[in-house]
Amino acid sequence: MSGMHSPRLRPLSAAVLMTLSAAAHAQQEAGPPTPARHATVEQIMPETTVSGTGIGVSRAAYPGSVTVLDRDNLSISSGVIDALSQVPGFSAGGGSGREIGQHFNIRGFGYQSEERVIVKQDGIRRSASLFSNHISSFRMDGDLLKRVEVVKGSSSVAHGSGAIGGVVSSTTADANDFLATGAETGIATKLRYDHNNHREGYVALASAPTGSAFDVLAYVKKTHDGDIKLARMVGTPPNQFQHTDNDENGSNYFFKAGWNLAPRQRLSLSYFDMGERVETAWQTLWHAQTPATGPISGKLRQRDWSLRYTANPAGLPWLNLEASVYTAEASYQRGYDYVSSGKRNTMDYLNQDKRTGIDIQNRFAFSALGAKHRLVLGLSYERRHEDARMVSNGELSDFGSMPNTYQDSGLFVQEEMSLLDDKLVLHMGGRYDSFRRKVKNKNADYSDSNFSPRLGASYAVGGGLILLGNVSRTYRAPTPHETSSSGALNPFYWYLPNPDLKPEHSKERELGASLSRNALFAEKDRLFAKAMYFNGKISQMIGLTALPEMGPPPSSENYARYTNADLVKRRGYEIEVEYRQPLWQLDASYEHLKQVNQSTGKNYPNAFADKLRLSAGYWLTPEASIGLAVSHWRKPDQNPATYVSGKKTEYYVRDSYTIADLNLRWQPAASPWKALGRQVEVLAGVRNLFNRPYLNAMKAENTAQVGKARNIYISMSNRF
């Protein structure tokens, strides 16, 4: 097969079209480009996941649910969370359309439950909401990412506390990712225009000379998001509207330098700086309109420094080392300044998240006892500091402020053992974690430890069929806010500390199968299918419990404390089917999730709608392709179905929704287009083609968060 060992299956999340960039990438790795520009089945490289086990495993053989997005998949969307919305098991939508306020959810957890989902860039964790729940942002740049892996379900072996919903792990690009095929030095540019008020553009300078010990990448990007048109009128007369008030201006800077110290030894240093100045609402997800007194002025910031060393010297098969140290700082500062009734009112509110950490992993392979083995040993340490500062009308307030420190360290081992001529592969692993939480100026230290085991297996039956199974456990350590909150932090509850909280534990079983077949109906076709069923429970769930029996507090309505009160059961399935021909492709996926609080019998924390996604791609010419993707959310099973607001009964979402997207991709090869660059790519399309609303199943029908209106976009990138 053209010298390739196995064809690469594009992840279903892409599911839009087989892109020309994939062909260019495959040609770059396999040799000089061929005259045929379109991506044949043989030209596509194998796809693996690393985040699931710490060892590279093909998607077909991984005994769990995982999706991998590459640069082509990410390029269609203007934001990373929007791109991830195509992934089975990943839910998005439900915000007000702003980049700084995007809802996300993986197997039931995400925004407002972010400690149960792990989000990483180059191994550095992200706090999506900065513990304020007023924003939601991964603070990533899709144009800078080489790949994103989404591992769904309980997975702690390689990651530690928090992977109850899943893991989103992203990796930044290198200099070679911005160079034209065959070039050693060059400039890459991109301009994108979305008619629903988004603009962006970048310039990248890259150098990676053949034979040189050094390579370097410098990147600058500017973005703008204005008022956003919604899919329909919302609100009640006379206060109806169809636009979200918004003004976001972003500046992204990235620098990465690599030094090949010796053969198969490398040192790289990177700096990532993402900033955004906004004029928006106080709560960027829930408030579509800005206050009557004027917009909230804010500044969002993420800065990462990362130093990485890799070594795999010849003659030392037991040494395949990756070691990194990093420091990161994220913040969101917002406030207002207005005059009302002759009185000046000011507010300055700052949330901060600072992290320093180290991560070391060593992988090696060996044979013993009649089996092949791959082993990874790892350790990690992170120190994290959170704080908030509020200055109201010139006076410093302790409201919402709880300076605290996290210290987490972990040791893990993961082995892959291949038996029976590689037909049976066992994955065995475990992780030991020690964690400590400390709150400044309070005698409220909290420390504990946890062990998380994992056992998985795949068995190749024959004919491309692989049976899959997995049992894993994970946990989530209590946060300082849960163990130590005290006082009237909101009008509803007077918080009481609870230093006796225990970690949450999640145990999950997954069973399924994958099928990979070549030349099924035609000489050069490819079929891939994977279905996974999962069933598990999350015990000792931490939640805020009201204590009316204690009587009324000095202020607020009730005393309350966080307790280990709930047992949640989760089950569901995810099905993916992909069929490839050299000139066209068809993809489909279906996902189902049911998560119930056993003490109440109600959905936890909200309802989830089954989702069917269908897509088709076709090569119009060897240089141009077209794709259509349709997502259909079925009517959700709501429990509870209603709630009472005042004296009115409101319904949660009880309808189905369908959204269609059209995408075009063109990479001209012939002159005179080369005058625009050595490689030119044009993307164009329509998001929400039929201008239909979409309401996330967790919403009430009276919500203003109905999704963005139709958006026509065009993007052109050049490599000189």
Side-chain angles (χ1 to χ4, degrees), residues 292-367:
T293 53
I296 304 300
S297 298
K299 183 179 180 181
L300 181 68
R301 190 79 180 270
Q302 177 77 45
R303 290 185 292 181
D304 303 337
W305 283 98
S306 177
L307 181 66
R308 181 178 296 270
Y309 171 73
T310 60
N312 183 209
L316 297 176
W318 52 268
L319 183 62
N320 187 359
L321 181 69
E322 291 186 11
S324 64
V325 294
Y326 62 85
T327 180
E329 180 177 355
S331 63
Y332 183 42
Q333 184 174 9
R334 60 201 179 280
Y336 53 75
D337 187 343
Y338 67 90
V339 176
S340 176
S341 301
K343 180 182 178 181
R344 186 183 180 190
N345 297 274
T346 62
M347 171 69 74
D348 182 68
Y349 187 29
L350 172 68
N351 292 104
Q352 288 182 310
D353 183 304
K354 299 180 180 180
R355 301 170 187 256
T356 302
I358 183 171
D359 184 86
I360 301 174
Q361 297 184 23
N362 186 53
R363 301 173 178 85
F364 58 96
F366 62 96
S367 296

Side-chain angles (χ1 to χ4, degrees), residues 260-518:
N260 297 316
L261 301 169
R264 304 172 74 172
Q265 293 188 57
R266 179 175 172 83
L267 186 68
S268 63
L269 174 69
S270 65
Y271 172 67
F272 175 79
D273 189 329
M274 171 177 275
E276 192 172 3
R277 293 186 178 274
V278 300
E279 297 287 331
T280 185
W282 183 258
Q283 220 292 4
T284 59
L285 282 87
W286 302 102
H287 300 159
Q289 302 286 280
T290 57
T293 53
I296 304 300
S297 298
K299 183 179 180 181
L300 181 68
R301 190 79 180 270
Q302 177 77 45
R303 290 185 292 181
D304 303 337
W305 283 98
S306 177
L307 181 66
R308 181 178 296 270
Y309 171 73
T310 60
N312 183 209
L316 297 176
W318 52 268
L319 183 62
N320 187 359
L321 181 69
E322 291 186 11
S324 64
V325 294
Y326 62 85
T327 180
E329 180 177 355
S331 63
Y332 183 42
Q333 184 174 9
R334 60 201 179 280
Y336 53 75
D337 187 343
Y338 67 90
V339 176
S340 176
S341 301
K343 180 182 178 181
R344 186 183 180 190
N345 297 274
T346 62
M347 171 69 74
D348 182 68
Y349 187 29
L350 172 68
N351 292 104
Q352 288 182 310
D353 183 304
K354 299 180 180 180
R355 301 170 187 256
T356 302
I358 183 171
D359 184 86
I360 301 174
Q361 297 184 23
N362 186 53
R363 301 173 178 85
F364 58 96
F366 62 96
S367 296
L369 302 176
K372 298 177 184 177
H373 302 263
R374 291 197 298 168
L375 190 71
V376 57
L377 304 172
L379 64 89
S380 62
Y381 172 80
E382 182 177 86
R383 181 181 177 88
R384 174 187 180 190
H385 180 72
E386 284 185 322
D387 198 6
R389 185 204 70 216
M390 179 179 286
V391 180
S392 178
N393 293 328
E395 295 185 5
L396 181 65
S397 170
D398 288 333
F399 179 84
S401 176
M402 185 182 291
N404 61 78
T405 302
Y406 293 60
Q407 291 188 86
D408 293 82
S409 57
L411 296 168
F412 75 90
V413 58
Q414 177 74 48
E415 183 188 21
E416 177 192 274
M417 180 167 57
S418 300
L419 302 161
L420 305 177
D421 294 328
D422 298 336
K423 289 184 177 181
L424 175 63
V425 180
L426 301 178
H427 299 270
M428 298 167 287
R431 181 183 179 102
Y432 175 79
D433 285 284
S434 176
F435 48 90
R436 183 183 181 188
R437 308 290 184 258
K438 184 176 182 180
V439 180
K440 186 177 180 180
N441 299 327
K442 292 187 179 181
N443 186 21
D445 285 14
Y446 178 90
S447 61
D448 206 339
S449 60
N450 186 80
F451 179 73
S452 303
R454 180 178 184 269
L455 176 63
S458 64
Y459 182 74
V461 177
L465 178 64
I466 302 177
L467 302 181
L468 306 166
N470 180 65
V471 178
S472 59
R473 297 195 62 164
T474 188
Y475 76 103
R476 181 183 76 88
T479 69
H481 302 275
E482 292 166 336
T483 61
S484 307
S485 290
S486 61
L489 299 185
N490 63 48
F492 307 104
Y493 299 113
W494 181 288
Y495 287 73
L496 299 175
N498 184 1
D500 298 321
L501 277 176
K502 301 299 181 183
E504 298 175 346
H505 290 278
S506 175
K507 181 179 180 180
E508 196 154 48
R509 298 174 296 277
E510 295 184 272
L511 294 172
S514 68
L515 177 65
S516 303
R517 296 290 298 272
N518 293 324

